[in-house]
Amino acid sequence: MAEPGGALLAIRGLHVRFGGGARPLHAVEGLDLDVRRGEVLGIVGESGSGKSVSMLAAMGLVDPPGRVEAARLEFDGLDLRTLSPRERRRRVGRRVSMIFQDPVASLDPCWTVGDQLLEVLAAQRPQPRAALRERALALMRAVEIPDPEARLRAWPHQLSGGLCQRVMIAMALAGEPELLIADEPTTALDVTIQAQVVELLCRLRRERGMAMVLISHDLALVSGIADRVVVMYAGQAMEQGTPSQLFDAPRHPYTRALMAALPQAHRGRTRLSALPGTVPGRYDRPSGCLLAPRCAQAEAACAAARPTLRTLADGGAVACRLVADGPRGSP
Amino acid sequence: MSAAGRDPTARAERDATPQVPAIDAVDLVKHYPVRSGWLRPPRRVRALDGVGFVLPPARTLAVVGESGCGKTTLARLLATIERPTSGTLRIVGEAPGSDRASAHRLRRRVQMVFQNPYGSLNPRKTVAAILDEPLAIDGVLDRAARRARVAELLARVGLSQEQAGRHPHMFSGGQRQRIAIARAMALEPAVIVADEPVSALDVSIQAQILNLFMDLQERYRTAYVFVSHDLAVVEHLAHDVMVMYLGRAVEIAPARTLFAGPAHPYAKALLATRLRLGPQAARPVVPIRGEPPSPLDPPGGCAFHPRCPEALERCRAERPTLRPLGDGRLVACHLV
């Protein structure tokens, strides 16, 4: 793992737990992650892998009873753990934005699109209403919303899902953020609209030099866009690398199984190679490797100790004791 | 009009004896009235505007298209949950009648699997009770025979016997979908209509369920109508594919032919959105601008012409009908 010095967002040893008692739900377990300036980091994983909650935790959006601990949590050198919510809003709020899966639910149905967009702009820099309106229209043009004047007066229910997501992207861009966290931004959209929104995100990111964290369950989508990819499973990062390292030569048995399970990987109507069993829950969390109960290659030693992510010679990282290539650098 | 029947592999597989198709649908139309305001006359959503096909036994027809194209309405008509506004439907030779006896018989022939395994199982019943219900209503087997059959169903979909006494909330999404499939298989129907059965599931679980669908088809020669927006799943599973746009079929073709090279401009656009794995696959291609128009107010002529990159004057004026291309596919486009 690279030294966090150059990273825009540096996360070390992030833990997120929900619920009390002897066995809390361990949603994120010891995650190390760097987002560098201007890069696209993809986080992939199945439901419950901790990909969303890890980013929510980093942004201070996990409320009690959820518990967040981290050895290090920094945005551009600023320690996020010690900031008060007010300070965080003032010093970080404008520089990081998030967009979510369901754009229709992310907008308030009781206010027009214009009211909501202007509210965001006014919160960032109070200006006369006419100036705010101009800025809102410019943003709506930037995200390619047709007929922006009319859309400013529209209610969220009058817009399609694709248009709502464009409005959310416009809001996210309002503060000219350095980091955009996009959590399944196209999952709720139809495929032709998904392609449009993905292209828009890529273009905006390029033009503005933003870093982007793209959280998705869609391996194919992430593989085409990301500079680096982290594969998560049951709260832990299993493998990390460039898309070609991961998708052309996956190392971790979980990454391999995930890709083998894709219909794209098969020719004709053959049986898919499915990973047996299900993701461990709160009560059957293994003490050793999290994948061990489902892993075809698992040995007795896999169930004994949980492997941590170690960096390999080519810069990729993997959390599996069966993968060769001696550990280099710090885990 | 049988895209399925034109496929040479289908013909080869077929027995010498003439075969009753699992589904024979002709010009199915479903309109829903929508109230447009106080004192104003209700308007009509043309959810389905004339769709027909023939599905032989042991074959899978996938229905693809975007939201609002009518694929779920079609699924509900085929599963006889709803009645068509017009058109004829025969399921293994029998048209749905209005009497209870007919409805009863049809339940043995067609069953449905829904998208959301969390919403389609009664949370207050045990799995055994859920699987027993269709058998009890069918009324053919006695209690002991039904119990044996429930055990058999559980085994068939890969669930253990001790899970029979549990309630749906104790199962994961993939396991619930297995229960829903077991329930649909209970009466060994000739047809299963599955509406997005794997889209709520994770990749590794999706693979398990797709395998189960294929295994069951091989064993029981069940015909599937598989509604999905996931083209990778469709390419893997389907024998034939129907591409829908705004309530109509724009292309019906053997899966291999369609995925090798779609003919209709909309089918081309839809297939262009498929993402390949790996960095060299680069960004998704943006195939078409804009969004589908409202089925309340569909455009005249070809419904796709406002978004079609190749549209001509004729496309604005005249609605194209499905016609055979000679290679086993049917296409509704003036330009093909």
Side-chain angles (χ1 to χ4, degrees):
Chain A
M1 183 139 284
E3 266 313 293
L8 186 59
L9 180 68
I11 299 173
R12 290 292 176 275
L14 177 70
H15 289 262
V16 182
R17 295 182 184 87
F18 293 94
R23 308 184 88 167
L25 175 71
H26 216 150
V28 180
E29 184 181 317
L31 181 70
D32 296 346
L33 200 72
D34 280 332
V35 185
R36 299 171 199 146
R37 246 170 230 292
E39 80 167 345
V40 181
L41 176 75
I43 305 183
V44 297
E46 301 181 279
S47 325
S49 63
K51 54 193 192 302
S52 292
V53 81
S54 60
M55 282 299 121
L56 289 173
M59 290 301 108
L61 296 173
V62 172
D63 291 328
R67 296 190 304 284
V68 179
E69 285 162 31
R72 179 171 197 170
L73 193 55
E74 289 177 4
F75 179 77
D76 198 16
L78 217 62
D79 191 344
L80 296 174
R81 294 172 305 169
T82 56
L83 289 182
S84 69
R86 192 195 163 95
E87 243 183 312
R88 179 195 278 270
R89 206 172 309 151
R90 192 173 62 79
R91 300 180 65 179
V92 184
R94 199 175 307 169
R95 302 172 66 190
V96 187
S97 281
M98 273 187 100
I99 53 175
F100 300 94
Q101 174 168 354
D102 187 347
V104 184
S106 303
L107 289 165
D108 188 332
C110 302
W111 297 88
T112 65
V113 167
D115 288 336
Q116 298 183 55
L117 196 45
L118 261 57
E119 184 191 9
V120 173
L121 290 167
Q124 277 163 357
R125 199 185 315 147
Q127 297 168 76
R129 206 175 155 80
L132 289 175
R133 223 181 101 83
E134 272 318 300
R135 177 102 178 83
L137 287 173
L139 277 171
M140 288 174 86
R141 280 185 211 106
V143 297
E144 295 162 16
I145 293 178
D147 197 4
E149 281 89 357
R151 296 297 201 274
L152 223 43
R153 289 188 302 272
W155 301 90
H157 76 267
Q158 294 171 318
L159 303 188
S160 65
L163 277 179
C164 283
Q165 193 60 294
R166 285 174 194 269
V167 171
M168 292 313 297
I169 295 171
M171 283 185 188
L173 295 178
E176 298 188 344
E178 292 149 67
L179 173 62
L180 177 66
I181 300 172
D183 188 352
E184 303 269 11
T186 59
T187 307
L189 306 176
D190 274 317
V191 283
T192 60
I193 310 301
Q194 165 173 332
Q196 294 172 6
V197 170
V198 167
E199 194 211 44
L200 173 71
L201 280 174
C202 289
R203 179 175 65 74
L204 292 168
R205 197 203 63 75
R206 232 178 12 250
E207 287 172 4
R208 294 165 187 246
M210 279 186 301
M212 180 158 86
V213 175
L214 178 67
I215 301 170
S216 181
H217 70 285
D218 189 337
L219 290 159
L221 175 69
V222 169
S223 74
I225 299 173
D227 300 310
R228 278 186 316 127
V229 182
V230 177
V231 180
M232 290 189 72
Y233 179 77
Q236 207 187 13
M238 290 290 178
E239 185 166 359
Q240 185 204 294
T242 63
S244 58
Q245 283 169 349
L246 242 66
F247 297 104
D248 296 341
R251 285 182 169 118
H252 198 286
Y254 178 66
T255 319
R256 287 210 295 271
L258 209 52
M259 285 201 290
L262 289 176
Q264 284 101 318
H266 295 252
R267 286 250 146 264
R269 300 180 78 254
T270 47
R271 284 182 65 89
L272 297 162
S273 15
L275 204 58
T278 53
V279 179
R282 183 171 175 175
Y283 298 106
D284 57 358
R285 200 170 170 83
S287 53
C289 173
L290 290 164
L291 187 70
R294 303 177 76 188
C295 182
Q297 285 106 291
E299 299 165 357
C302 294
R306 184 154 310 167
T308 51
L309 202 65
R310 64 193 156 89
T311 306
L312 305 177
D314 63 359
V318 66
C320 176
R321 47 175 294 282
L322 297 170
V323 175
D325 185 335
R328 278 168 59 131
S330 59
Chain B
M1 193 209 72
S2 155
R6 277 177 229 278
D7 184 352
T9 55
R11 215 176 295 146
E13 278 169 18
R14 210 166 292 173
D15 317 331
T17 50
Q19 192 176 31
V20 184
I23 292 183
D24 186 352
V26 182
D27 204 22
L28 291 177
V29 173
K30 181 71 183 178
H31 290 178
Y32 293 101
V34 182
R35 214 178 299 165
S36 47
W38 197 60
L39 288 182
R40 256 186 275 170
R43 300 166 71 194
R44 299 171 152 264
V45 177
R46 299 165 175 221
L48 202 63
D49 215 7
V51 168
F53 63 91
V54 173
L55 177 65
R59 301 279 290 181
T60 302
L61 172 77
V63 181
V64 300
E66 298 178 273
S67 327
C69 73
K71 53 192 198 296
T72 293
T73 302
L74 176 64
R76 295 176 69 88
L77 291 185
L78 296 177
T80 68
I81 296 173
E82 292 194 50
R83 295 280 162 144
T85 308
S86 68
T88 58
L89 173 64
R90 282 178 189 284
I91 293 161
V92 205
E94 174 160 353
S98 47
D99 56 317
R100 280 180 75 96
S102 155
H104 213 88
R105 278 197 304 278
L106 276 165
R107 282 287 143 255
R108 251 176 257 152
R109 303 184 176 194
V110 58
Q111 285 285 336
M112 192 157 176
V113 174
F114 298 90
Q115 170 171 8
N116 182 355
Y118 295 84
S120 57
L121 300 175
N122 187 339
R124 305 178 70 162
K125 289 192 167 178
T126 63
V127 171
I130 287 169
L131 297 182
D132 182 64
E133 194 176 13
L135 300 168
I137 293 171
D138 191 49
V140 174
L141 302 176
D142 64 16
R143 197 177 289 263
R146 292 206 310 262
R147 200 171 305 134
R149 179 102 179 101
V150 166
E152 187 195 332
L153 284 167
L154 280 172
R156 197 187 295 167
V157 298
L159 293 171
S160 66
Q161 298 306 321
E162 58 264 34
Q163 288 171 317
R166 298 189 189 162
H167 289 83
H169 76 267
M170 300 173 78
F171 294 88
S172 67
Q175 288 172 322
R176 281 181 226 205
Q177 204 58 301
R178 285 176 192 272
I179 298 166
I181 292 168
R183 179 178 60 182
M185 293 299 295
L187 299 175
E188 291 195 5
V191 186
I192 287 185
V193 179
D195 187 2
E196 302 272 11
V198 295
S199 54
L201 307 176
D202 278 316
V203 188
S204 68
I205 307 301
Q206 169 181 298
Q208 296 173 3
I209 298 297
L210 291 177
N211 283 340
L212 178 63
F213 269 112
M214 288 192 286
D215 293 346
L216 292 174
Q217 182 170 60
E218 204 166 287
R219 186 154 167 206
Y220 298 97
R221 295 180 53 77
T222 318
Y224 293 140
V225 175
F226 202 93
V227 175
S228 179
H229 71 280
D230 189 330
L231 294 164
V233 167
V234 166
E235 185 174 8
H236 188 75
L237 200 72
H239 298 99
D240 301 289
V241 183
M242 172 154 76
V243 182
M244 288 185 68
Y245 190 75
L246 228 58
R248 302 185 134 241
V250 296
E251 182 162 352
I252 305 179
R256 212 169 290 167
T257 315
L258 181 79
F259 284 101
H264 193 281
Y266 177 65
K268 283 183 202 164
L270 199 63
L271 263 61
T273 62
R274 275 184 304 165
L275 299 166
R276 293 268 165 230
L277 264 184
Q280 65 280 20
R283 314 244 140 84
V285 186
V286 174
I288 31 172
R289 297 282 156 195
E291 303 186 1
S294 159
L296 258 177
D297 195 12
C302 172
F304 186 57
H305 85 256
R307 297 173 82 194
C308 182
E310 301 164 44
L312 304 173
E313 203 46 58
R314 187 180 171 204
C315 305
R316 271 175 266 279
E318 193 187 324
R319 172 177 285 182
T321 49
L322 275 179
R323 58 196 168 76
L325 275 199
D327 58 352
R329 67 172 122 198
L330 297 161
V331 181
C333 179
H334 294 310
L335 299 160
V336 177

